[in-house]
Amino acid sequence: MNNRRVFMDGIIFNNPTFVQVIGMCPTLAVSNSAVNGFGMGLAATAVLIGSNIVISMLRKATPDEIRIPIFIVVIATFVTIIEMIVQAFFTPLYEALGIFLPLIVVNCIILARAEAFAFKNSVFSSAVDGLSNGLGFTLALTILGVIRELFGAGSVFGKTVMWGSFEPMSIIVQPAGGFLVLGILLAIFSIFTAKKASV
Amino acid sequence: MRDIVKLGLILFIVTAVSAGALSITNDITKDIIEEKAIEANKAYMQEILPDAEDFNVMEGPGILSVKGVEEVYEALKGGETYAYVIKTKTKGYGGDVIILTGINVDGTIAGMRVSSQSETPNLGDRIAGEEFGSQFEGLSVERELKLNEDVDQVSGATVSSTAAIGGINASIELFNSVLR
Amino acid sequence: MSLFVIIISGILINNYVLSRILGICPFLGVSKQVETAFGMSMAVTFVMTLAGVITWLAQTYVLEKLGLGYMQTVTFILVIAALVQFVEMVIQKFSPTLYQSLGIYLPLITTNCAVLGVSILNIKEEFGLLETTVNSAASAIGFGLAIVLFAGIRERLELSNIPEAFKGFPIALFTASLMSLAFLGFAGLV
């Protein structure tokens, strides 16, 4: 497959969050601020690239029967490495993401990419696929994070942007707000795709 | 049967390589993580007690006897202990709230800093702000502090405020029962 | 913490789906009908309680003893995957009827983040074995409660006239949002 096509697929046409609607737990849980969403996205991207590359390298040596356990071990290893790096060098982010950092292991996006792409394609294509899906995920989380932080806290990436008398709607940064904002975004997305289909 | 052995062996090798990679990363990052944690504490402690020349970790029986107390430091000035800093961990709305409370030997609170929390942004996380934290400065530790009596809570964030004052009260209890 | 508080907190206050946001994939995916939602919640309760206990034992008696704390994530996810496989085989062998009703949900549970989530949280909260067991079961029941209630609402939504753009995930997410708001009311309970 054409690598440019692979790249665009992951970010837009087959965006993990807006099109495939998978990996919802971190999407909803850590998108309460732009920084958290962005940080989580990058951490997941790093894991995705690493696991896609290794799984693609091992694909000839991996027996079909135990491919899932092997995927899981590879993914869990990368998750733990990223977790330690984030803890050592980005301590505030580590504390903000909390339990959702180790939970990248069970992020369906990563296992799905391993199974659907890396196990069948070359190392380079798999790396591109990991990068693009990771960036698509990061994009979605950052958009959600910016919107929720803007309305829920009146700021973007920690900088206050709303006027002085703006009273933040704190419900937006809570779980209920996460469901709500994602619902609205998906509805808008489906309006656009529906229009395209009818034209 | 041979298949199972072969599959098991492959899985074992993959896991062993993974364990090796993790142990190397762990070795590299472990010291940095520890150093950062101590450094972060030191920065907060220096903010609470600007006069302190040195901080020592306190150890011994009873030091961690109060629930929630994680670490205790003594602050030295001119070779003498003039205050204590007590690190506590309590449950907030979004997770653990870690607080450093400075208590002077004369029984007044020197100050408090929230060193780690994951409360709701712009609501519960205001317990880490100046407005809430500065209320504690100079209060006596004769008795337990009460929310909305000795200090005002962060409005709309009762759980976070309760967690914060709970940590400070644990420090007070430790000071009165052990350190004093 | 008393066991009662753990139970109330696991089911209502810190509901895994609606307040901690764990296990959203099955929550959205397997909630079109009350019956399947109930089957899923049963399977999850069973696996989650068992997984909580076994990972606690692995952490306490293996990882901590050997100083291998950094292998936690790898070990836990392998234990959970193996456990799910094992439970599937046992149920298939001994109770084909139960297998027919639960079997299809079992493979999905490995990637249910609520299961790994409860295992990690038990360790983080420094629970003992009894507390771990109770907390795992209570959290799983909380998950079940949320998904069954949600499925009940979605069944009714099927019959109502929803604008085209809101069909499917958007309306489901709005419903979840309102449920999460309602569960927020439990926050001051303990």
Side-chain angles (χ1 to χ4, degrees):
Chain A
M1 221 197 294
N2 179 334
N3 281 327
R4 177 182 287 176
R5 182 66 211 277
V6 170
F7 189 70
M8 292 313 286
D9 254 6
I11 296 184
I12 299 170
F13 303 116
N14 206 13
N15 185 292
T17 306
F18 293 134
V19 181
Q20 300 176 55
V21 198
I22 55 175
M24 283 295 114
C25 295
T27 306
L28 290 164
V30 301
S31 63
N32 51 11
S33 80
V35 175
N36 288 357
F38 188 64
M40 178 54 151
L42 289 191
T45 306
V47 173
L48 249 172
I49 297 174
S51 69
N52 260 12
I53 290 177
V54 171
I55 286 164
S56 173
M57 283 196 305
L58 294 176
R59 72 183 189 281
K60 300 254 163 64
T62 308
D64 239 17
E65 303 92 318
I66 53 162
R67 65 180 196 285
I68 300 288
I70 287 185
F71 293 170
I72 288 177
V73 172
V74 171
I75 294 169
T77 309
F78 276 105
V79 168
T80 314
I81 291 174
I82 299 296
E83 191 185 350
M84 290 193 265
I85 292 175
V86 172
Q87 189 179 7
F89 300 105
F90 308 94
T91 317
L93 183 66
Y94 173 80
E95 274 151 15
L97 298 182
I99 187 180
F100 288 96
L101 208 44
L103 285 183
I104 295 177
V105 174
V106 280
N107 187 327
C108 336
I109 297 172
I110 295 169
L111 197 59
R113 291 332 288 170
E115 170 85 4
F117 199 94
F119 197 56
K120 297 175 191 133
N121 288 285
S122 72
V123 175
F124 184 72
S125 290
S126 301
V128 172
D129 180 71
L131 177 69
S132 73
N133 273 278
L135 290 183
F137 182 60
T138 310
L139 182 73
L141 255 75
T142 312
I143 292 176
L144 259 176
V146 167
I147 294 174
R148 290 179 67 187
E149 195 184 332
L150 182 66
F151 290 104
S155 58
V156 171
F157 282 102
K159 285 215 166 53
T160 309
V161 291
M162 290 301 223
W163 57 95
S165 60
F166 173 77
E167 192 58 43
M169 298 170 253
S170 62
I171 192 68
I172 299 289
V173 287
Q174 296 197 357
F179 287 117
L180 188 71
V181 173
L182 184 64
I184 294 172
L185 285 183
L186 286 179
I188 294 173
F189 209 87
S190 89
I191 291 174
F192 278 115
T193 45
K195 267 209 186 121
K196 236 186 217 160
S198 63
V199 167
Chain B
M1 194 58 209
R2 179 169 295 166
D3 250 13
I4 290 181
V5 174
K6 191 184 152 207
L7 295 181
L9 201 65
I10 293 176
L11 195 55
F12 177 77
I13 293 170
V14 171
T15 318
V17 171
S18 136
L22 289 183
S23 119
I24 294 169
T25 322
N26 186 51
D27 279 348
I28 299 171
T29 52
K30 197 176 58 189
D31 293 339
I32 304 173
I33 292 169
E34 243 167 52
E35 232 168 73
K36 276 219 167 170
I38 293 174
E39 238 173 67
N41 279 350
K42 278 252 163 79
Y44 286 120
M45 291 195 287
Q46 205 76 57
E47 271 181 42
I48 298 170
L49 301 163
D51 298 340
E53 284 152 8
D54 201 10
F55 296 97
N56 283 336
V57 180
M58 293 185 70
E59 274 155 358
I63 284 293
L64 302 179
S65 60
V66 175
K67 196 174 178 295
V69 172
E70 299 258 290
E71 285 162 37
V72 183
Y73 296 86
E74 53 180 356
L76 301 173
K77 185 167 68 176
E80 264 178 66
T81 305
Y82 85 108
Y84 298 97
V85 181
I86 300 155
K87 185 172 159 185
T88 53
K89 182 166 98 177
T90 42
K91 279 258 149 314
Y93 188 84
D96 292 330
V97 174
I98 312 261
I99 291 181
L100 293 160
T101 310
I103 301 179
N104 296 315
V105 278
D106 66 7
T108 54
I109 294 180
M112 70 82 117
R113 288 288 182 279
V114 177
S115 77
S116 158
Q117 48 86 18
S118 37
E119 304 304 282
T120 317
N122 276 291
L123 193 69
D125 73 346
R126 288 191 185 145
I127 56 169
E130 173 76 25
E131 201 181 321
F132 181 73
S134 60
Q135 298 181 88
F136 293 94
E137 280 162 33
L139 294 182
S140 157
V141 299
E142 280 308 310
R143 59 177 180 79
E144 226 178 51
L145 299 177
K146 287 205 180 74
L147 212 53
N148 297 330
E149 205 169 285
D150 300 296
V151 291
D152 294 327
Q153 70 167 86
V154 174
S155 64
T158 310
V159 180
S160 306
S161 306
T162 309
I165 205 162
I168 290 163
N169 278 332
S171 301
I172 291 176
E173 195 187 327
L174 181 84
F175 178 78
N176 286 330
S177 63
V178 183
L179 301 174
R180 191 186 273 265
Chain C
M1 218 193 309
S2 80
L3 293 180
F4 180 71
V5 174
I6 295 180
I7 294 173
I8 294 296
S9 151
I11 299 179
L12 298 176
I13 305 171
N14 288 321
N15 186 287
Y16 262 52
V17 178
L18 299 169
S19 128
R20 282 199 203 272
I21 326 204
L22 290 167
I24 300 294
C25 291
F27 178 70
L28 292 173
V30 200
S31 57
K32 290 224 170 81
Q33 286 168 338
V34 173
E35 206 185 314
T36 48
F38 189 73
M40 182 67 177
S41 68
M42 278 314 187
V44 167
T45 308
F46 188 63
V47 173
M48 224 162 125
T49 313
L50 221 56
V53 172
I54 295 179
T55 51
W56 187 88
L57 292 172
Q59 171 82 17
T60 316
Y61 293 108
V62 182
L63 295 180
E64 273 169 25
K65 285 268 149 60
L66 299 175
L68 289 174
Y70 53 84
M71 289 292 284
Q72 191 192 52
T73 313
V74 178
T75 313
F76 280 18
I77 190 70
L78 270 183
V79 166
I80 292 168
L83 179 71
V84 170
Q85 196 81 52
F86 180 70
V87 168
E88 196 178 346
M89 287 191 303
V90 169
I91 294 183
Q92 195 171 14
K93 184 139 199 206
F94 292 103
S95 172
T97 34
L98 192 64
Y99 182 75
Q100 276 200 328
S101 54
L102 293 189
I104 48 167
Y105 308 113
L106 283 168
L108 290 174
I109 293 178
T110 310
T111 51
N112 180 345
C113 54
V115 180
L116 184 59
V118 81
S119 305
I120 297 177
L121 283 173
N122 283 333
I123 308 297
K124 269 208 166 156
E125 304 269 338
E126 292 164 13
F127 282 154
L129 184 55
L130 180 63
E131 289 165 318
T132 293
T133 317
V134 172
N135 184 48
S136 310
S139 305
I141 293 169
F143 172 84
L145 179 70
I147 193 173
V148 171
L149 285 175
F150 187 54
I153 299 174
R154 282 187 84 175
E155 270 188 0
R156 300 215 164 184
L157 279 176
E158 280 293 299
L159 305 172
S160 28
N161 189 9
I162 303 163
E164 198 57 44
F166 289 113
K167 280 196 176 138
F169 279 116
I171 195 75
L173 284 163
F174 293 155
T175 313
S177 167
L178 292 176
M179 283 177 71
S180 170
L181 261 184
F183 269 66
L184 211 58
F186 292 117
L189 211 59
V190 178

